[in-house]
Amino acid sequence: KANRLEIYAQHHDGITLAHTKAIYGKVTMLEKLHFAQSPTEHLFVGTDRYMYFTLSWDNESQQLCTQKTYIDQSDKTSRDSQTQDRCHIDPTKQFMALQLYDGIVNILPLISKGKKKGPSEAFSLGEPVPTRIKEFFVRSSCFLYPAETADAGPRLAILYEDNHQKVCLSIKRLDFSHGGAGDPGSANLIDLAARDDLELGASHLIPVPAPAYGLLILTESTIAFIDDATGELTNKPLDEPAIFVTWAEMDAQRWLLADDYGRLFLLMLVIGNHKAKSFQIHTIGNTSRASVLVHLGSGLVFVGSHQGDSQVIQIQEGGIVLVQNLPNLAPILDFTVMDMGNRSGETQSNEYSSGQARIVAGSGAFQDGSLRSIRSGVGMEEQGLLGEMNHTSDLFPLASSSGKAHSDILAASFVDETRVFRFFSDGEVEELEDFMGMSFSEGSLWLSNITGNRLLQVTSSRAMILDLDSGMVTAEWSAQDAGPITVASAKEERLVISTGGSEAIIFDLTRDLHIVARRKFSQEGQISCIHVPTICPDICVVGFWQGASVAILSISSLETLRKAVMSDNAVNVPRSVALTQLIADEAPTLLVGMANGEVVTFSMSLTGFELGFRKATILGTQGPTFKILPRSGGLSSVFAICEHSSLIYGSEGRIMYSAVTAEEASCVCPFDCEAYPGAIALATSKDLRIALVDTERTTHVQTLKVNATVRRVAYSPKLKAFGIGTIYRELKTGYEMIQSHFKLADEVMFKELDSHTLYSDELVESCIRADLRDGSGELVERFVVGTAYMDLDGQDVVRGRVMVFAVTPERKLQVVSELATMGACRALDVIDGNIVAALVKTVIIYSLNAPNLTKLATYRTSTAPIALSVSGSEIAIADLMKSVSVVSYTRPNHPGGSHCLVEVARHFQTAWATAVAHVDDHTWLESDAEGNLMVLKQNVAGVTADDRRRLEIVSEIQLGEMVNRIRTVEVEQSGTAVVVPKAFMATVDGSVYLFALIMPAKQDLLMRLQQAIAARVQSPGNVPFNAYRAFRNSVREAEEPFRFVDGELIEKFLDCPAMLQESICKELGLKEQVDVEDIKTMVEGLRRIH
């Protein structure tokens, strides 16, 4: 997948991801290598920069190991292959052939361990030896299986198109001579046979092993077989045409074939007297459009798809069965940022913890097309809804008897009452009128089971112990004289409460609420929160209003053992505390939730109760409330409840903060009941529900299957709906039919509401949601769609339309205006309530005066505008070939004056732009078709007018993937921020990247840190980081990225051993020595952004 290797483990019910590794390069070739005496297979990896290397798996370290360091095969004098890079292994396992350039085949011998081979040569590839061929436009190639009696060298079959556009077949024999020391040897491909009587639609060659020995040729209308011994050609017509895209061998007589429409075929050779007599082909089912097929054995097949979900299928008699579906976002043609953790409208708030941005993307193509809602965070799956309940203040899990392994009672506390629900094993729920003598007429501050089959209830007026056998109150303590109880916490044998806000009292639960100790805190002030930890029963943690401090007290005497001041700001006080084991084999973590939305964490020693490694993380603007959720292995996670609820947990030795997909949570509690094991109870301001929550962050994808290419996406927060432009493809009686639609889809239900059919042969090119001025001057919300179609009456001139849609109260689409244009409308935007349309060679501003669109101003571009970005009165135009130009829009100063578009800046270098976005003052981010990113800045301080018109490159990097769309985001900037997120980018390969600007004070530090990490952290194949990320296009090639930092590389600092981290910090070359913990804190903050 692009620059990432994924290794899966196979099971009877599918495959599971076992390991993933980033590669410095886009993977274009992947092949397994068999060495005669090697205990495992090796992996050959080739990249788009003509570098290859081999890897093996180390079972002890569970990591990929580099066997052969990268070899650079780039050749400036040769022409890149016009079709695709190919890699073939000779069936005798002696040679590998690489086809990277037209007319050149590189031969690599496979070296196995022998008596005279050194360790470095064992199980390795030899040096590449180039040999020239006369075949240039190669459609397919393969090594042929050698006959048992053959003793000649390997044979290579090449299917190619000659200069007369005839499809030909050439079979060559490899003559390879091994060289001596320092000499790679020589190779020659000798012509053995050729034929030019093949169909024009021939696309694939399939070598046929014993006993038939031969070659299958797949074409659009027939399947041909060439007998290896006689050279006889046999054709079998297909029942209906098919565009085959890939194949996989099942055994010596059966092959799976996949076509461009997702159909799967089984091809079978009928063998007689060790010869192929005939062959049969049957359609066995439909899958995603396959890019690769892999037979896993026992009828299991992996269908790898680039433009749809990958699948694991089981071939059975009569067809196929889907075993597993593996989500795939590629290719993302368009997307929109639906929200940044704030659903109140378009205003986007700070992304406090990872996973709060929700992106909706148009993914896949044609029959595999879909609308995907993407959110990376902690998922929550709702299991049941108890009903509408307003303003729940707290939740408590209980068991009706001490012998129960699961909770079966859920208590919900409100301001003036407590309600109790019983859960049965079959999932039925009953609300109880009374339960074991509990007080239902007031809210509960604490409820829990305690030893001796008893129940503890604490309200604002009293504390009670109830016997679960008799249902009687066995002990009670009233707070009449001491003042109301404000907070309470209990574990096992001790209860700690605060009365009147300033006094703490400890009760012995084994002695019927006997008071062990009580203490008035006159100097510290009122108590804000109390926590009695399970992990350390000898202490309790108390937070104070005055002084903004937290104290660790003895559970037996309330003596202060340790105290920490949390803030100098008297308003910023502790609101919640929790002490638990987040990370295995490390000290427990004390979490303090502050009133300003910060979470402060400490590592606490259980012997001297020292607090160390203080770190602060912002989760929101409101003080979070903590609830501890148990995990396996004696660990816990903490659910932090605020306006951006997050799960705090330990992973890879670090504390992680991930947003939870639970909106408006007001309180939660663990609720491990028999019907819903491992569940939680969650209350919002309106209802109470049972849900399952993930233990850590994953990527959550919600899919609306469209069965068409979702080419454009626009989102309306006001309507809570999407406008999507689709292209539907269908095969009818051998003819391909294309039809475009503009659809309205509901945000909440994620389903289609209405659809508008465009003209036949008309394609959706662009789509936006815009606030436009109508004839009265008021702003109205509209969807604007730009199209292109072939006007057959106009001598094949590409034309288009601009259409304006309104959404009726019934949530239906209504065309309020449309305008035929002289060219395709490639992009749309809005400026000052008017439409900006990018047509072929022209950018035009239209005003809406329904039902008419009136032209206000025009600007002539260099070639063809491909993308627009509006900021204030300026419009950045990404040109197909001539990079970016910026024009300024001016309204007339007096009635009757003209509107103007005037060019104010331009990037004068050649770049095949794909997207552009405004990211800062006079600064734009541009992507090109060759996978580069450039940050362009206008030189407004230039001396001459020409200098001030120039857009200069201030940063550049090779992303390695072509960006289809850039969407800007507005994020509130905090004073301690290292970077400020500015845009999301979506690529052809299904990746979503976050682009951020580095604060000036941190730029030098991060660039030095990147350089130091790149020099010490090796990638698979030992490919240099600078060579991978250096800008490269057809005009120029840089040596390293320029003023651009790769966040993924920076985050690898956290995975480095402690000694290596210290070494990296020492080599930063700064005037002041940087502390490792400071760097770790900074990098952890960067990781939380996404």
Side-chain angles (χ1 to χ4, degrees):
K1 291 183 176 180
N3 73 324
R4 198 165 297 274
L5 285 178
E6 294 182 348
I7 299 176
Y8 288 81
Q10 183 179 344
H11 307 284
H12 68 280
D13 55 349
I15 57 177
T16 56
L17 183 64
H19 185 75
T20 181
K21 196 74 173 180
I23 301 294
Y24 285 172
K26 184 176 180 179
V27 179
T28 57
M29 295 180 292
L30 204 58
E31 190 63 68
K32 60 182 179 182
L33 302 177
H34 301 266
F35 294 102
Q37 301 174 24
S38 174
T40 61
E41 292 178 330
H42 290 197
L43 193 63
F44 172 87
V45 182
T47 73
D48 61 338
R49 289 209 168 185
Y50 309 110
M51 297 178 181
Y52 70 81
F53 48 89
T54 58
L55 306 172
S56 65
W57 181 255
D58 187 343
N59 227 3
E60 293 185 5
S61 64
Q62 294 290 296
Q63 293 290 329
L64 288 171
C65 298
T66 299
Q67 291 295 323
K68 187 175 184 67
T69 304
Y70 81 99
I71 301 296
D72 191 347
Q73 281 291 292
S74 59
D75 187 349
K76 302 290 185 183
T77 62
S78 301
R79 186 176 69 181
D80 294 349
S81 174
Q82 299 177 62
T83 50
Q84 67 181 55
D85 295 344
R86 293 182 176 85
C87 170
H88 300 298
I89 306 294
D90 161 39
T92 63
K93 308 295 189 295
Q94 295 180 352
F95 299 98
M96 172 188 285
L98 299 180
Q99 292 175 262
L100 309 176
Y101 298 97
D102 285 342
I104 299 177
V105 177
N106 287 291
I107 305 298
L108 293 84
L110 273 65
I111 301 173
S112 293
K113 189 174 183 179
K115 294 181 179 180
K116 297 183 179 181
K117 302 294 182 183
S120 62
E121 296 180 351
F123 316 132
S124 182
L125 286 173
E127 293 299 315
V129 180
T131 180
R132 292 195 173 274
I133 57 175
K134 65 178 183 296
E135 296 80 10
F136 278 79
F137 194 87
V138 177
R139 293 189 177 184
S140 182
S141 58
C142 67
F143 276 109
L144 299 180
Y145 286 95
E148 295 178 359
T149 57
D151 55 359
R155 293 171 300 159
L156 183 68
I158 300 176
L159 182 69
Y160 68 100
E161 186 178 319
D162 66 9
N163 294 332
H164 304 290
Q165 296 185 339
K166 294 180 64 177
V167 179
C168 309
L169 176 67
S170 175
I171 298 178
K172 302 174 181 292
R173 178 173 59 83
L174 173 61
D175 182 13
F176 188 89
S177 299
H178 293 275
D183 182 10
S186 62
N188 190 22
L189 288 171
I190 303 170
D191 291 329
L192 295 180
R195 61 193 313 152
D196 60 1
D197 56 345
L198 303 180
E199 287 193 17
L200 290 178
S203 59
H204 291 76
L205 299 179
I206 302 177
V208 178
Y213 289 119
L215 187 66
L216 285 166
I217 304 175
L218 306 182
T219 76
E220 293 181 359
S221 58
T222 64
I223 292 181
F225 175 75
I226 299 179
D227 189 280
D228 196 6
T230 64
E232 180 183 356
L233 176 67
T234 305
N235 278 308
K236 177 178 176 60
L238 298 174
D239 294 336
E240 57 179 319
I243 304 174
F244 294 109
V245 290
T246 188
W247 59 272
E249 181 179 313
M250 298 280 289
D251 53 37
Q253 294 178 238
R254 296 181 301 167
W255 292 265
L256 284 174
L257 312 178
D259 77 348
D260 194 45
Y261 294 89
R263 293 179 297 183
L264 198 64
F265 303 87
L266 182 64
L267 172 64
M268 183 172 65
L269 277 180
V270 179
I271 307 295
N273 296 325
H274 302 288
K275 291 186 177 181
K277 286 192 170 183
S278 63
F279 41 89
Q280 302 172 352
I281 184 168
H282 304 283
T283 304
I284 60 174
N286 289 277
T287 66
S288 299
R289 194 270 191 193
S291 300
V292 63
L293 295 173
V294 180
H295 182 225
L296 303 177
S298 303
L300 275 179
V301 177
F302 172 75
V303 181
S305 178
H306 172 71
Q307 62 186 49
D309 290 343
S310 295
Q311 298 169 328
V312 177
I313 60 171
Q314 176 75 55
I315 299 177
Q316 298 179 345
E317 185 176 351
I320 61 174
V321 175
L322 178 64
V323 176
Q324 186 179 9
N325 197 73
L326 304 170
N328 169 43
L329 301 180
I332 299 178
L333 302 182
D334 195 9
F335 76 100
T336 182
V337 182
M338 185 172 168
D339 66 69
M340 296 283 285
N342 178 13
R343 304 305 310 283
S344 61
E346 285 189 290
T347 304
Q348 296 168 335
S349 59
N350 199 355
E351 207 171 354
Y352 297 104
S353 63
S354 59
Q356 291 177 7
R358 182 180 177 191
I359 290 173
V360 176
S363 296
F366 299 118
Q367 69 269 16
D368 300 314
S370 61
L371 195 65
R372 305 286 181 109
S373 173
I374 309 161
R375 194 169 189 170
S376 178
V378 176
M380 193 186 71
E381 182 182 354
E382 186 176 314
Q383 301 294 301
L385 184 68
L386 269 69
E388 294 185 0
M389 299 179 199
N390 297 327
H391 310 299
T392 307
S393 59
D394 212 342
L395 297 171
F396 304 96
L398 301 171
S400 57
S401 66
S402 59
K404 285 189 173 291
H406 297 274
S407 299
D408 61 346
I409 301 294
L410 177 64
S413 175
F414 301 85
V415 176
D416 56 356
E417 66 173 336
T418 299
R419 298 171 65 178
V420 172
F421 303 88
R422 182 188 293 275
F423 284 72
F424 298 94
S425 58
D426 58 358
E428 291 293 322
V429 183
E430 175 191 7
E431 183 171 3
L432 304 179
E433 297 294 331
D434 58 77
F435 179 69
M436 301 299 175
M438 274 179 54
S439 173
F440 282 14
S441 60
E442 51 188 332
S444 296
L445 298 175
W446 187 267
L447 276 166
S448 65
N449 289 92
I450 57 176
T451 56
N453 199 26
R454 298 175 300 162
L455 182 69
L456 171 66
Q457 182 183 16
V458 181
T459 68
S460 61
S461 61
R462 54 183 171 165
M464 298 182 295
I465 294 180
L466 314 170
D467 184 71
L468 292 178
D469 292 326
S470 62
M472 303 292 290
V473 177
T474 60
E476 182 176 353
W477 181 86
S478 176
Q480 291 179 356
D481 299 333
I485 302 173
T486 54
V487 288
S489 180
K491 288 293 184 295
E492 301 297 332
E493 300 178 355
R494 291 289 188 268
L495 165 66
V496 183
I497 65 171
S498 172
T499 58
S502 60
E503 183 182 24
I505 306 175
I506 296 180
F507 297 90
D508 188 343
L509 300 180
T510 62
R511 297 165 61 189
D512 293 337
L513 293 176
H514 172 73
I515 295 179
V516 176
R518 61 195 306 166
R519 176 182 174 186
K520 267 201 172 285
F521 294 90
S522 55
Q523 295 182 350
E524 291 85 351
Q526 291 192 331
I527 296 173
S528 59
C529 49
I530 293 176
H531 172 64
V532 180
T534 304
I535 196 170
C536 186
D538 298 330
I539 63 170
C540 64
V541 185
V542 179
F544 297 96
W545 288 97
Q546 281 77 18
S549 61
V550 169
I552 298 173
L553 309 178
S554 168
I555 199 73
S556 58
S557 63
L558 287 176
E559 176 189 356
T560 302
L561 304 175
R562 193 72 58 181
K563 185 177 180 181
V565 177
M566 306 306 301
S567 174
D568 296 332
N569 188 350
V571 180
N572 188 21
V573 298
R575 298 298 300 270
S576 183
V577 289
L579 177 65
T580 188
Q581 190 77 42
L582 293 180
I583 305 172
D585 303 323
E586 291 195 14
T589 301
L590 174 64
L591 300 97
V592 183
M594 306 299 290
N596 66 345
E598 273 188 336
V599 173
V600 182
T601 61
F602 297 91
S603 177
M604 196 190 84
S605 167
L606 291 181
T607 54
F609 308 113
E610 293 89 358
L611 299 176
F613 300 106
R614 172 174 174 156
K615 294 182 181 178
T617 303
I618 298 177
L619 285 190
T621 58
Q622 302 172 4
T625 301
F626 298 138
K627 277 299 179 76
I628 297 175
L629 305 179
R631 296 178 68 183
S632 59
L635 301 179
S636 300
S637 56
V638 176
F639 199 111
I641 307 162
C642 57
E643 79 272 29
H644 301 292
S645 294
S646 298
L647 189 73
I648 307 172
Y649 61 95
S651 177
E652 300 174 354
R654 295 184 298 276
I655 299 175
M656 309 294 288
Y657 298 78
S658 290
V660 182
T661 57
E663 298 169 3
E664 301 179 355
S666 59
C667 51
V668 300
C669 75
F671 190 63
D672 182 24
C673 63
E674 190 173 354
Y676 307 105
I680 65 168
L682 181 143
T684 69
S685 59
K686 299 179 181 178
D687 54 41
L688 178 60
R689 61 190 72 174
I690 304 299
L692 292 175
V693 65
D694 293 341
T695 57
E696 58 185 33
R697 182 182 70 175
T698 55
T699 299
H700 301 272
V701 179
Q702 184 182 359
T703 303
L704 171 62
K705 197 71 176 173
V706 181
N707 298 318
T709 300
V710 180
R711 191 168 190 195
R712 295 292 179 257
V713 180
Y715 171 61
S716 168
K718 181 179 177 182
L719 298 172
K720 296 191 180 300
F722 301 100
I724 56 176
T726 67
I727 303 174
Y728 177 73
R729 182 181 70 169
E730 187 179 15
L731 194 65
K732 287 186 177 180
T733 63
Y735 290 92
E736 186 178 80
M737 310 297 291
I738 300 291
Q739 182 65 62
S740 283
H741 300 83
F742 178 67
K743 299 176 181 287
L744 187 69
D746 181 71
E747 167 208 328
V748 179
M749 301 300 294
F750 228 52
K751 67 177 183 180
E752 182 179 319
L753 297 173
D754 195 17
S755 178
H756 178 86
T757 304
L758 304 182
Y759 297 149
S760 59
D761 294 330
E762 185 178 23
L763 299 179
V764 172
E765 292 281 0
S766 52
C767 169
I768 62 169
R769 183 216 67 89
D771 291 321
L772 303 177
R773 299 184 187 279
D774 60 5
S776 63
E778 297 293 328
L779 289 177
V780 292
E781 186 175 42
R782 297 288 184 259
F783 285 108
V784 186
V785 177
T787 71
Y789 61 92
M790 297 296 293
D791 185 0
L792 300 180
D793 297 330
Q795 299 180 350
D796 290 345
V797 177
V798 177
R799 299 177 183 272
R801 283 193 296 170
V802 176
M803 308 176 68
V804 180
F805 290 88
V807 179
T808 66
E810 294 78 23
R811 309 193 83 183
K812 300 294 182 182
L813 292 171
Q814 178 183 358
V815 179
V816 297
S817 180
E818 69 173 271
L819 175 70
T821 60
M822 294 300 293
C825 183
R826 303 292 187 191
L828 289 166
D829 214 319
V830 61
I831 186 169
D832 195 26
N834 298 316
I835 299 171
V836 185
L839 310 182
V840 175
K841 298 285 289 186
T842 312
V843 173
I844 302 177
I845 295 182
Y846 295 103
S847 66
L848 174 64
N849 190 3
N852 300 316
L853 287 173
T854 305
K855 183 190 298 185
L856 298 180
T858 63
Y859 168 76
R860 189 79 168 173
T861 60
S862 299
T863 55
I866 206 73
L868 300 171
S869 177
V870 173
S871 174
S873 61
E874 291 185 332
I875 307 170
I877 303 166
D879 191 86
L880 180 64
M881 295 175 61
K882 295 297 183 180
S883 195
V884 171
S885 59
V886 180
V887 297
S888 178
Y889 168 60
T890 306
R891 295 176 60 87
N893 295 326
H894 55 85
S898 60
H899 299 254
C900 295
L901 281 176
V902 179
E903 182 177 300
V904 295
R906 173 182 289 273
H907 182 224
F908 288 95
Q909 296 182 13
T910 298
W912 293 74
T914 60
V916 67
H918 181 267
V919 293
D920 203 4
D921 294 340
H922 309 291
T923 307
W924 290 266
L925 174 65
E926 178 191 7
S927 62
D928 69 14
E930 293 171 281
N932 297 298
L933 290 179
M934 293 171 283
V935 179
L936 305 174
K937 189 175 182 67
Q938 185 180 359
N939 185 14
V940 293
V943 178
T944 66
D946 286 343
D947 290 340
R948 291 190 291 274
R949 288 186 62 244
R950 191 175 297 275
L951 289 177
E952 299 175 343
I953 297 178
V954 295
S955 301
E956 63 182 17
I957 196 173
Q958 168 71 212
L959 186 65
E961 302 176 44
M962 191 179 84
V963 174
N964 270 336
R965 183 69 68 191
I966 305 174
R967 298 288 189 189
T968 57
V969 293
E970 294 295 332
V971 175
E972 296 176 7
Q973 180 179 328
S974 63
T976 58
V978 177
V979 299
V980 180
K982 288 294 184 179
F984 285 103
M985 303 175 292
T987 73
V988 172
D989 293 293
S991 303
V992 178
Y993 291 90
L994 176 65
F995 171 82
L997 293 178
I998 306 173
M999 300 300 290
K1002 299 293 183 181
Q1003 290 177 2
D1004 183 56
L1005 172 61
L1006 283 176
M1007 285 189 286
R1008 288 175 182 267
L1009 182 61
Q1010 174 176 262
Q1011 187 178 7
I1013 295 174
R1016 287 163 177 78
V1017 177
Q1018 297 296 326
S1019 72
N1022 300 328
V1023 179
F1025 171 80
N1026 286 341
Y1028 166 50
R1029 285 302 190 196
F1031 178 94
R1032 181 190 64 168
N1033 64 13
S1034 57
V1035 178
R1036 67 182 178 92
E1037 186 170 339
E1039 295 182 354
E1040 61 182 2
F1042 175 59
R1043 294 181 59 79
F1044 227 120
V1045 175
D1046 183 345
E1048 186 174 15
L1049 178 68
I1050 295 295
E1051 290 180 9
K1052 288 183 179 180
F1053 180 84
L1054 299 175
D1055 301 323
C1056 296
M1059 292 185 64
L1060 183 56
Q1061 289 179 343
E1062 292 180 4
S1063 175
I1064 290 172
C1065 291
K1066 289 179 181 178
E1067 295 298 325
L1068 292 180
L1070 298 174
K1071 293 181 179 179
E1072 297 181 3
Q1073 183 63 36
V1074 180
D1075 186 64
V1076 173
E1077 284 302 319
D1078 293 338
I1079 297 294
K1080 288 175 66 175
T1081 301
M1082 179 185 69
V1083 177
E1084 287 173 353
L1086 293 176
R1087 173 173 282 188
R1088 280 193 293 272
I1089 291 176
H1090 63 86

